[in-house]
Coordinates of all heavy atoms in Angstrom, one line a residue:
F976 N 76.6 150.5 3.6 CA 77.2 149.5 4.4 C 76.2 148.5 4.9 O 76.5 147.3 5.2 CB 77.9 150.0 5.6 CG 79.1 150.9 5.2 CD1 79.5 152.0 6.0 CD2 79.8 150.7 3.9 CE1 80.6 152.8 5.6 CE2 80.8 151.5 3.6 CZ 81.2 152.6 4.4
Q977 N 74.9 148.9 5.1 CA 73.9 148.0 5.6 C 73.7 146.9 4.6 O 73.4 145.7 4.9 CB 72.6 148.8 5.8 CG 71.6 148.0 6.5 CD 70.3 148.8 6.9 OE1 70.3 150.0 6.6 NE2 69.4 148.2 7.6
A978 N 73.7 147.2 3.3 CA 73.5 146.2 2.2 C 74.6 145.1 2.3 O 74.4 143.9 2.2 CB 73.4 146.7 0.9
E979 N 75.9 145.6 2.5 CA 77.0 144.6 2.7 C 76.9 143.7 3.8 O 77.1 142.5 3.7 CB 78.4 145.4 2.7 CG 79.5 144.5 2.7 CD 80.9 145.4 2.8 OE1 80.7 146.6 2.6 OE2 81.9 144.8 3.1
E980 N 76.5 144.3 4.9 CA 76.3 143.4 6.2 C 75.1 142.4 6.0 O 75.1 141.3 6.4 CB 76.1 144.3 7.4 CG 77.4 145.0 7.8 CD 78.5 144.1 8.3 OE1 78.2 143.0 8.8 OE2 79.7 144.4 8.1
C981 N 74.0 142.9 5.4 CA 72.9 142.1 5.2 C 73.2 140.9 4.2 O 72.7 139.8 4.4 CB 71.7 142.9 4.6 SG 70.9 144.0 5.9
A982 N 74.0 141.2 3.2 CA 74.3 140.1 2.2 C 75.2 139.0 3.0 O 75.0 137.8 2.8 CB 75.1 140.7 1.1
L983 N 76.1 139.5 3.9 CA 77.0 138.5 4.6 C 76.0 137.7 5.5 O 76.2 136.5 5.7 CB 78.0 139.3 5.3 CG 78.9 138.5 6.3 CD1 79.7 137.5 5.4 CD2 79.9 139.4 7.0
R984 N 75.1 138.4 6.2 CA 74.2 137.7 7.1 C 73.3 136.6 6.4 O 73.1 135.5 6.9 CB 73.4 138.7 7.8 CG 72.4 138.0 8.8 CD 71.5 139.1 9.5 NE 72.3 140.1 10.3 CZ 72.5 139.9 11.6 NH1 72.2 138.8 12.2 NH2 73.3 140.7 12.2
A985 N 72.9 137.0 5.2 CA 72.1 136.1 4.4 C 72.8 134.9 4.0 O 72.4 133.7 4.1 CB 71.5 136.8 3.2
N986 N 74.2 135.0 3.6 CA 75.0 133.9 3.3 C 75.2 132.9 4.5 O 75.2 131.7 4.4 CB 76.3 134.4 2.7 CG 76.2 135.1 1.4 OD1 75.3 134.7 0.6 ND2 77.1 135.9 1.1
I987 N 75.4 133.5 5.7 CA 75.6 132.7 6.9 C 74.3 132.0 7.3 O 74.4 130.8 7.6 CB 76.1 133.7 8.0 CG1 77.4 134.3 7.7 CG2 76.2 132.9 9.3 CD1 77.9 135.3 8.7
E988 N 73.2 132.6 7.1 CA 71.9 132.0 7.5 C 71.6 130.8 6.5 O 71.2 129.7 6.9 CB 70.8 133.0 7.5 CG 70.9 134.0 8.7 CD 69.7 135.0 8.6 OE1 69.0 135.0 7.5 OE2 69.6 135.7 9.6
R989 N 71.9 131.0 5.3 CA 71.7 129.9 4.3 C 72.7 128.8 4.6 O 72.3 127.6 4.5 CB 72.0 130.4 2.9 CG 70.8 131.2 2.3 CD 70.9 131.3 0.7 NE 72.1 132.1 0.4 CZ 72.1 133.4 0.2 NH1 71.0 134.1 0.3 NH2 73.2 134.0 -0.2
F990 N 73.9 129.1 4.9 CA 74.9 128.0 5.3 C 74.4 127.2 6.5 O 74.4 126.0 6.5 CB 76.2 128.7 5.5 CG 77.2 127.7 6.1 CD1 78.0 126.9 5.3 CD2 77.5 127.7 7.5 CE1 78.9 126.0 5.8 CE2 78.4 126.8 8.0 CZ 79.2 126.0 7.2
N991 N 74.0 127.9 7.6 CA 73.6 127.2 8.8 C 72.3 126.4 8.5 O 72.2 125.3 9.0 CB 73.4 128.3 9.9 CG 74.7 128.8 10.3 OD1 75.8 128.2 10.3 ND2 74.7 130.0 10.9
S992 N 71.3 127.0 7.8 CA 70.1 126.3 7.7 C 70.2 125.1 6.8 O 69.6 124.1 7.0 CB 69.1 127.2 7.0 OG 69.5 127.6 5.7
R993 N 71.1 125.1 5.8 CA 71.4 124.0 5.0 C 72.0 122.9 5.7 O 71.8 121.7 5.3 CB 72.2 124.4 3.7 CG 72.4 123.3 2.7 CD 72.7 124.0 1.3 NE 73.8 124.8 1.3 CZ 75.1 124.4 1.3 NH1 75.3 123.1 1.2 NH2 76.1 125.3 1.3
R994 N 72.9 123.2 6.6 CA 73.7 122.1 7.3 C 73.1 121.7 8.6 O 73.2 120.5 9.0 CB 75.1 122.5 7.5 CG 76.0 122.4 6.2 CD 77.4 123.0 6.4 NE 78.2 122.7 5.3 CZ 78.2 123.2 4.1 NH1 77.3 124.0 3.8 NH2 79.0 122.8 3.2
Y995 N 72.5 122.6 9.4 CA 72.2 122.3 10.7 C 70.7 122.4 11.0 O 70.3 122.0 12.1 CB 72.9 123.2 11.7 CG 74.4 123.2 11.5 CD1 75.1 124.3 11.0 CD2 75.1 122.1 11.7 CE1 76.4 124.3 10.8 CE2 76.5 122.0 11.6 CZ 77.2 123.1 11.1 OH 78.5 123.1 10.9
D996 N 69.9 123.0 10.1 CA 68.4 123.2 10.4 C 67.7 121.9 10.1 O 67.7 121.4 8.9 CB 67.9 124.3 9.6 CG 66.5 124.7 10.1 OD1 66.0 124.1 11.1 OD2 65.9 125.6 9.5
N997 N 67.1 121.2 11.0 CA 66.3 120.0 10.8 C 64.9 120.3 10.2 O 64.2 119.4 9.7 CB 66.2 119.2 12.0 CG 67.5 118.7 12.5 OD1 68.3 118.4 11.7 ND2 67.7 118.6 13.8
N998 N 64.4 121.5 10.3 CA 63.1 121.8 9.8 C 63.1 122.5 8.4 O 62.9 123.7 8.3 CB 62.4 122.8 10.8 CG 62.3 122.2 12.2 OD1 62.0 121.0 12.3 ND2 62.5 123.0 13.2
Q999 N 63.6 121.7 7.5 CA 63.7 122.2 6.1 C 62.3 122.3 5.5 O 61.4 121.4 5.7 CB 64.6 121.2 5.3 CG 66.0 121.3 5.7 CD 66.7 122.5 5.2 OE1 66.2 123.2 4.3 NE2 67.8 122.8 5.7
S1000 N 62.1 123.4 4.7 CA 60.8 123.6 4.1 C 60.6 122.6 2.9 O 59.5 122.2 2.6 CB 60.6 125.0 3.7 OG 61.7 125.4 2.8
N1001 N 61.6 122.2 2.2 CA 61.5 121.4 1.0 C 61.9 120.0 1.4 O 63.1 119.8 1.7 CB 62.4 121.9 -0.1 CG 62.1 121.2 -1.5 OD1 61.6 120.2 -1.4 ND2 62.6 121.9 -2.5
P1002 N 61.0 119.0 1.4 CA 61.4 117.7 1.9 C 62.4 117.0 0.9 O 63.0 116.0 1.3 CB 60.0 117.0 1.9 CG 59.2 117.7 1.0 CD 59.6 119.1 1.1
D1003 N 62.4 117.5 -0.3 CA 63.3 116.8 -1.3 C 64.8 117.1 -0.9 O 65.7 116.4 -1.4 CB 63.0 117.3 -2.7 CG 61.7 116.8 -3.2 OD1 61.2 115.8 -2.7 OD2 61.0 117.6 -4.0
F1004 N 65.0 118.2 -0.1 CA 66.4 118.5 0.2 C 66.8 118.0 1.5 O 67.9 118.3 2.0 CB 66.6 120.0 0.2 CG 66.5 120.6 -1.2 CD1 66.4 122.0 -1.3 CD2 66.6 119.9 -2.3 CE1 66.4 122.6 -2.6 CE2 66.7 120.4 -3.5 CZ 66.6 121.8 -3.7
L1005 N 66.0 117.1 2.2 CA 66.4 116.5 3.4 C 67.4 115.4 3.2 O 67.3 114.8 2.2 CB 65.1 116.0 4.1 CG 64.1 117.0 4.7 CD1 62.9 116.3 5.3 CD2 64.7 117.8 5.8
P1006 N 68.3 115.2 4.2 CA 69.3 114.1 4.0 C 68.7 112.8 4.1 O 67.6 112.6 4.8 CB 70.3 114.4 5.2 CG 69.5 115.2 6.2 CD 68.5 116.0 5.4
V1007 N 69.2 111.9 3.4 CA 68.7 110.5 3.3 C 69.6 109.5 4.1 O 70.8 109.6 4.0 CB 68.6 110.0 1.8 CG1 68.1 108.6 1.7 CG2 67.7 111.0 1.0
D1008 N 69.0 108.7 5.0 CA 69.7 107.7 5.7 C 69.9 106.5 4.9 O 68.9 105.8 4.6 CB 68.9 107.5 7.0 CG 69.8 106.6 8.0 OD1 70.9 106.3 7.6 OD2 69.3 106.4 9.1

Side-chain angles (χ1 to χ4, degrees):
F976 297 151
Q977 189 173 3
E979 184 179 347
E980 291 294 331
C981 288
L983 178 62
R984 181 184 295 272
N986 291 334
I987 294 174
E988 289 178 353
R989 281 196 298 266
F990 170 84
N991 289 333
S992 64
R993 184 158 55 83
R994 280 172 167 78
Y995 305 113
D996 190 5
N997 294 325
N998 300 321
Q999 290 284 342
S1000 58
N1001 192 342
D1003 294 334
F1004 287 169
L1005 290 175
V1007 178
D1008 189 357

